[in-house]
């Protein structure tokens, strides 16, 4: 058909899941309600629970005149001004609603994180008590339900939602979902939809994925999207284990169950296998469903050695509680919620608890109700957060930014299990979950904040402001450096006054695509295929093939968005083995909107198997600090490919860990 540009497979994507704003020293509602109320954030997600207190419209004016959206099968108000749902396959699980109503909780959580109204006395069953609020509580919400319980999110529905969202008049799009394996841009529904949104002046904010800490796992890699990693904040949830011998071990969990300090018999799962059911030691110690002998664990607390943090077998066998000893140390920063008293302890502590069980005639212990402790190490990138380098284009540093995504309290659907377990019948209005799904709406809110104050700024300008004003992350806490956190930790206080921005237009992105693909159509006339060093991006990436010398030249143009008659001078930091030259070293502006161009030449000796080398290019005028990371690293020739990267240490989470799949 004449209007068909391309046909792509209908891949299934996956969902990636308010003290966080306080942690960033940002007070929501900093701008006038009428300015914030002109901004509409669209959420491509699992829907929304409109009756949540976070979405009340008390005191809000009618939607802005530009708005053309509709509400299907739910009642909207002056807060939720649009709600549509998409199900091209016509499949509706019995757990779902044929409407934009949220059966999973994920969409309710993300939308309230970004734009929820203030709710006093919010908590998860008494934990994390305080005032819950989104970053832009007066902004409007438009919901596009493209993700369904057990079915995922299809490309066909995502593209239909993009069409409607753009036509409806959204200002920012927030997408906490993505593919396990990055697809080429022309086959990626999110990249295609975000490109069309960019053409209409809409910035798309997307989660980086939850396949960390393995390298080259980041998704949503298109340069016209804002790609968000997940980091911690200065609060963690601790549920301690107390043994009969007086020893106390701190565990990590969102545990609301109270045992009131009463001790119960302890047993190791490996000693109580359900042999009659065909299970042996391996299944039993992992506490898999049906693997435990209910006659031996009823009323007892079970020590599990589980890769998945599984509890299902304990619940099915009528166990009282579970202590999960994680054999994988980098996953211990994630506080999960369980349908019974449970906590996760470090491997060494798990070994000590097992030793106590084996050497004590009647071992006993208890699990204390959860507490919130101060995390003095924050912020650091969460273990699950997907890392660079960028598998589709090594010169574009991804992720772009990091934001709070660990242990986030936000609104929840009361029909959704707070732990993701079918055995969990608790009903909650707020839930604590983790994931880049949770960091993405933080960035979406900050983008909306910038858009409210600078309504004429392009998506690229807003993105640049977010990246160049980011707080510097401590590389000693993040072994992967910029591959983990991009330009740094998002800083809502500085984004509206960046000084200079790296702008880019549709034509710039088309030039970029022509350059990296070598296409020979009319749009690419005169473009020589090669590295993407001249895309006007706020970061600089030099990927050096093993055995080659360092030799790259970047061209950048910055636009003055601050004061007239300003002069910026550059400073460069880089390791001694790499030489960086910036010309000119001084940029003088006489008017707002004036543009200046500079070049960056990076050179150095031949490199082989070189880890990432981090540097910075910083422009200062005495008031503004415009900071851009510069990274140099080595690659093999065959690593510059779109083929899936599957390191052996990467973990896959199965259907019996629905809390990982849904929350993230």
């Amino acid at each position: 058909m004449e209007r068909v540009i391309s046909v792509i497979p209908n891949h299934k994507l996956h969902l990636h899941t308010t003290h966080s704003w306080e942690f960033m020293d940002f007070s929501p509602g900093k701008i006038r309600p009428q300015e914030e109320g002109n901004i509409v954030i669209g959420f491509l997600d699992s829907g929304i629970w409109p009756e949540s207190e976070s979405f009340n419209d008390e005191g809000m004016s009618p939607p802005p005149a530009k708005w053309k959206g509709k509400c299907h099968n739910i009642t909207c108000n002056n807060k939720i001004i649009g709600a549509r749902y998409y199900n091209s396959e016509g499949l509706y699980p019995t757990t779902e609603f044929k409407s934009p109503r949220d059966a999973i909780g994920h969409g309710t959580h993300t939308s309230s994180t970004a734009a929820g109204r203030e709710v006093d006395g919010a908590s998860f069953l008494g934990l994390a008590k305080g005032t819950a609020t989104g970053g832009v509580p007066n902004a409007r919400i438009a919901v596009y339900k493209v993700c369904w319980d057990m079915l995922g999110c299809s490309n066909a529905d995502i593209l239909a939602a993009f069409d409607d969202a753009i036509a409806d008049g959204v200002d920012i799009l927030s997408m906490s979902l993505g593919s396990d394996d990055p697809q080429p841009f022309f086959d990626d529904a999110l990249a295609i939809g975000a490109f069309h949104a960019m053409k209409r002046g809409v910035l798309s904010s997307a989660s980086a994925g939850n396949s960390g800490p393995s390298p080259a796992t980041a998704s949503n890699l298109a340069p016209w999207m804002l790609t968000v990693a997940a980091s911690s904040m200065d609060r963690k949830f601790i549920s301690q284990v107390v043994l009969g011998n007086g020893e106390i071990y701190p565990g990590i969990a969102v545990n609301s169950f109270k045992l009131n300090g009463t001790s119960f018999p302890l047993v190791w799962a490996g000693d109580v296998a359900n042999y009659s059911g065909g299970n042996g030691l391996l299944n039993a110690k992992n506490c898999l469903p049906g693997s435990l002998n209910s006659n031996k664990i009823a009323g007892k607390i079970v020590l599990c050695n589980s890769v998945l943090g599984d509890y299902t077998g304990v619940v099915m066998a009528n166990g009282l509680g579970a202590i999960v000893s994680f054999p994988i140390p980098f996953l211990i920063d994630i506080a999960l919620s369980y349908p019974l008293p449970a906590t996760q302890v470090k491997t060494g502590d798990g070994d000590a608890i097992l030793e106590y069980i084996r050497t004590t005639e009647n071992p006993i212990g208890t699990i204390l109700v959860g507490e919130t402790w101060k995390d003095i190490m924050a912020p650091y990138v969460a273990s699950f957060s997907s890392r660079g380098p960028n598998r589709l284009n090594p010169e574009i540093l991804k992720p772009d930014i990091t934001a709070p995504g660990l242990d986030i309290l936000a609104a929840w659907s009361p029909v959704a299990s707070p732990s993701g377990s079918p055995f969990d019948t608790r009903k909650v209005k707020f839930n604590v979950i983790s994931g880049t799904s949770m960091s993405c709406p933080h960035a979406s809110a900050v983008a909306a904040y910038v858009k409210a104050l600078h309504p004429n700024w392009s998506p690229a300008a807003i993105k640049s402001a977010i990246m160049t004003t980011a707080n510097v992350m401590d590389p000693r806490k993040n072994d992967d450096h910029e591959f983990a956190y991009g330009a740094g930790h998002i800083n809502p206080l500085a984004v509206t006054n960046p000084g200079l921005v790296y702008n880019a237009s549709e034509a710039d992105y088309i030039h970029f695509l022509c350059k990296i693909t070598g296409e020979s159509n009319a749009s690419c006339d005169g473009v020589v295929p090669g590295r993407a060093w001249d895309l006007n991006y706020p970061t600089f990436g030099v990927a050096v093939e093993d055995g080659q010398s360092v030799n790259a030249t970047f061209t950048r143009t910055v636009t003055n968005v601050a004061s007239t008659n300003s002069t910026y001078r550059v400073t460069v930091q880089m390791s001694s083995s790499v030489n960086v030259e910036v010309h000119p070293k001084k940029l003088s502006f006489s008017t707002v909107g004036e543009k200046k161009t500079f070049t960056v030449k990076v050179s150095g000796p031949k490199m082989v198997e070189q880890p990432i080398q981090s540097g910075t290019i910083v422009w200062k005028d005495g008031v503004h600090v415009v900071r851009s990371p510069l990274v140099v690293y080595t690659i093999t020739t065959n690593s510059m490919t779109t083929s899936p990267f599957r390191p052996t240490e990467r973990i896959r989470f199965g259907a019996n860990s629905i809390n990982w799949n849904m929350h993230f």
Side-chain angles (χ1 to χ4, degrees):
M1 296 172 62
E2 185 177 331
R3 294 181 61 195
V4 175
I5 297 173
S6 64
V7 177
I8 62 175
N10 190 26
H11 292 298
K12 288 295 183 71
L13 307 186
H14 307 285
L15 294 164
H16 281 163
T17 192
T18 334
H19 175 68
S20 51
W21 296 109
E22 181 184 352
F23 172 63
M24 295 185 286
D25 294 323
F26 183 71
S27 301
K30 289 176 70 71
I31 56 180
R32 291 182 299 175
Q34 57 266 40
E35 291 175 320
E36 203 169 276
N38 284 330
I39 301 301
V40 183
I41 306 178
F43 295 88
L44 273 63
D45 215 300
S46 67
I48 198 166
W49 194 264
E51 291 81 13
S52 169
E53 296 172 80
S54 294
F55 308 125
N56 81 82
D57 66 348
E58 183 179 352
M60 295 190 72
S61 62
K66 66 180 180 181
W67 183 245
K68 299 179 178 65
K70 298 178 180 178
C71 290
H72 293 157
N73 293 1
I74 66 170
T75 301
C76 287
N77 57 16
N78 288 330
K79 179 62 178 178
I80 304 172
I81 62 173
R84 302 176 186 261
Y85 67 103
Y86 308 82
N87 192 315
S88 56
E89 296 177 335
L91 300 175
Y92 295 91
T94 56
T95 54
E96 271 289 2
F97 301 97
K98 274 191 175 182
S99 79
R101 188 173 290 279
D102 184 11
I104 300 172
H106 190 276
T108 302
H109 198 279
T110 56
S111 53
S112 64
T113 297
R117 307 295 300 279
E118 288 192 0
V119 180
D120 293 331
S123 73
F124 172 71
L125 299 172
L127 289 173
K129 187 175 293 184
T131 299
T133 182
V136 279
N138 294 304
R140 319 290 179 152
I141 291 173
V143 177
Y144 302 87
K145 181 175 177 178
V146 296
C147 301
W148 299 82
D149 190 14
M150 298 183 284
L151 298 179
C153 329
S154 78
N155 275 352
D157 296 337
I158 288 168
L159 286 171
F162 266 111
D163 270 347
D164 284 340
I166 295 167
D168 288 346
V170 302
D171 297 287
I172 303 293
L173 276 168
S174 187
M175 306 173 298
S176 293
L177 51 101
S179 173
D180 286 340
D181 300 304
Q183 302 296 313
F185 297 143
F186 297 109
D187 295 335
D188 184 344
L190 289 177
I192 293 169
F195 188 91
H196 287 271
M198 173 273 301
K199 289 171 60 176
R200 296 286 293 271
V202 178
L203 175 63
S204 298
S205 171
S207 46
N210 302 294
S211 298
S214 295
T217 49
S219 60
N220 296 322
L221 302 175
W224 48 87
M225 303 167 73
L226 178 65
T227 308
V228 190
S231 45
S232 65
M233 55 183 175
D234 60 344
R235 179 180 71 187
K236 57 185 177 181
F237 293 90
I238 300 297
S239 180
Q240 299 183 94
V241 175
V242 181
L243 303 183
N245 61 5
E247 293 295 323
I248 301 175
Y249 299 97
I252 293 182
V254 186
N255 176 35
S256 66
F257 294 96
K258 297 178 180 179
L259 297 179
N260 300 317
T262 304
S263 291
F264 297 89
L266 290 178
V267 63
W268 178 50
D271 289 335
V272 289
N274 178 15
Y275 290 106
S276 299
N279 293 277
L281 175 63
L282 181 61
N283 283 354
K285 72 177 186 178
N286 280 282
C287 296
L288 296 179
S291 67
L292 301 177
N293 186 330
S294 59
N295 294 321
K296 293 184 177 181
I297 74 164
K300 298 179 181 178
I301 295 174
V302 183
L303 174 65
C304 306
N305 302 107
S306 177
V307 173
L308 302 177
D310 206 347
Y311 49 77
T312 314
V314 178
V315 176
M316 293 177 66
N318 299 317
L320 176 75
I323 302 168
V324 181
S325 178
F326 255 34
I328 304 174
F330 58 70
L331 289 174
I332 197 64
D333 58 355
I334 308 164
L336 296 178
S337 178
Y338 296 90
L340 76 172
T343 191
Q344 309 164 52
V345 297
K346 295 179 181 179
T347 303
D349 292 345
D351 293 342
I353 295 171
L354 177 58
E355 180 66 16
Y356 167 73
I357 291 173
R358 285 178 161 171
T359 58
T360 305
E361 185 174 351
N362 294 300
I364 58 173
T366 191
I367 301 170
L368 301 184
V369 69
E371 305 171 275
T372 55
W373 287 14
K374 185 82 170 179
D375 188 351
I376 60 173
M377 291 292 287
Y380 52 86
V381 176
S383 61
F384 58 76
S385 186
S386 292
R387 266 62 168 178
N390 184 334
R391 282 166 44 190
L392 299 186
N393 192 268
E395 282 76 35
I396 303 298
L397 180 63
K398 289 285 184 173
D400 293 309
I401 200 79
T402 190
L406 199 62
D407 303 338
I408 305 299
L409 176 78
W412 194 249
S413 168
V415 301
S417 161
S419 64
S421 168
F423 300 101
D424 194 346
T425 59
R426 294 174 295 173
K427 308 295 183 185
V428 298
K429 295 181 179 180
F430 293 86
N431 199 9
V432 176
I433 56 176
S434 300
T436 55
S437 278
M438 284 62 255
S439 58
C440 172
H442 283 89
S444 305
V446 173
Y449 175 54
V450 178
K451 183 74 172 179
L453 291 178
H454 302 288
N456 296 322
W457 280 15
S458 70
I462 295 172
K463 179 177 175 179
S464 173
I466 290 172
M467 293 171 66
T468 62
T469 61
N471 287 325
V472 179
M473 292 285 283
D474 188 343
R476 295 171 298 179
K477 302 175 188 175
N478 302 276
D479 293 338
D480 302 303
H481 299 205
E482 284 80 7
F483 289 158
Y485 48 71
H489 194 281
I490 200 164
N491 180 6
L493 296 174
V495 291
T496 59
N497 187 22
L500 306 174
V501 295
Y502 294 80
N503 216 337
S505 65
E506 177 190 354
D508 294 320
Y509 293 122
I510 290 175
H511 182 90
F512 159 80
L513 291 169
C514 291
K515 195 148 195 173
I516 65 171
T517 61
E519 288 284 331
S520 57
N521 56 42
S523 299
C524 298
D525 282 351
V527 179
V528 178
R531 299 290 185 93
W533 289 328
D534 57 354
L535 179 64
N536 205 36
Y537 212 70
T539 56
F540 301 81
V542 183
V544 183
E545 292 185 43
D546 269 339
Q548 300 297 311
S549 58
V550 181
N551 186 14
T553 301
F554 300 86
T555 302
R556 293 290 190 269
T557 299
V558 287
T559 303
N560 178 28
V561 295
S563 55
T564 58
N565 300 318
S566 56
T567 297
Y568 289 79
R569 290 175 172 81
V570 71
T571 57
V572 177
Q573 291 183 332
M574 195 65 208
S575 66
S576 57
S577 62
V578 176
N579 181 55
V580 180
E581 297 179 14
V582 179
H583 298 286
K585 299 184 182 301
K586 182 175 69 173
L587 302 175
S588 295
F589 300 89
S590 57
T591 61
V592 175
E594 187 176 359
K595 302 177 186 295
K596 295 288 183 179
T597 298
F598 64 94
T599 60
V600 178
K601 293 184 178 180
V602 186
S603 58
K606 292 181 179 180
M607 291 185 173
V608 177
E609 296 290 341
Q610 175 67 51
I612 185 174
Q613 297 187 57
S614 302
T616 56
I617 294 173
V618 183
W619 293 97
K620 298 180 182 178
D621 68 345
V623 177
H624 304 94
V625 177
V626 187
R627 178 182 173 274
S628 294
L630 187 158
V631 297
V632 179
Y633 62 102
T634 55
I635 57 173
T636 58
T637 302
N638 61 6
S639 69
M640 298 177 63
T641 176
T642 59
S643 61
F645 182 90
R646 291 288 191 194
T648 55
E649 68 270 26
R650 179 170 175 180
I651 297 172
R652 302 283 294 170
F653 297 104
N656 62 337
S657 292
I658 192 171
N659 55 324
W660 293 81
N661 293 324
M662 292 298 101
H663 292 182
F664 284 19

